[in-house]
Every structure is written in structure tokens, then in C-alpha cells.
Amino acid sequence: MKTSLKLALAPVVFAFVAASAHAGCGKGAVAGAVVGHMAGKHGAAGAAAGCAIGHHSAKKKQAAASAASNTPAPAPANGAAGTSK
């Protein structure tokens, strides 16, 4: 492997290791790297952008799930809570 290629890949590898704990980063980084590579050999930039977008998307999804679990249950239609006839 060429030395210049090793030097170019080193920051990307370290970024993946450091950011692997963040939700959504892995999937977004892989997709971004592929798109960046296809768009003109910008895989590292695509991976960074994909990681950021994937993490943002995961946080939005987590916030929506948290908000949905914190909403109170709707009242019964007849207005009587827990009573039986």
C-alpha cells in the first residue's frame, strides 16, 4: 500500500473508531463514503457528512420515540375511567 494512501486513510479510520459510539454514525458514514467515492473520490468527506447526517437522524428518531412514550393515554370514550357496569 502506498504511503500517501495510508496517510490519507488514517484520519478516516480514527474518525470511525472515535465516532462509532454515536448512534446512526456507522450507517450514515458507510453510505456517505460510497456516495462521496462515486462523486469523484471524496469518500472521506462523504463519510464525515454521512456520519453527521446519520447521527442527527438517529437523535430525531430517539426524540420522537421518547415524546411518544411520554404522552398520556387517551381518556375512554364514555368518560368513565375504570368503571364497569
Side-chain angles (χ1 to χ4, degrees):
M1 191 184 258
K2 292 183 179 179
T3 303
S4 60
L5 182 59
K6 287 180 185 177
L7 292 175
L9 290 178
V12 175
V13 171
F14 289 124
F16 279 123
V17 171
S20 64
H22 298 295
C25 181
K27 190 190 311 184
V30 169
V34 170
V35 171
H37 175 71
M38 298 305 256
K41 299 186 180 183
H42 298 291
C51 178
I53 292 168
H55 182 66
H56 176 70
S57 177
K59 281 183 71 172
K60 282 182 17 182
K61 186 176 180 180
Q62 183 183 19
S66 177
S69 67
N70 289 337
T71 57
N78 63 3
T83 59
S84 61
K85 292 182 180 183

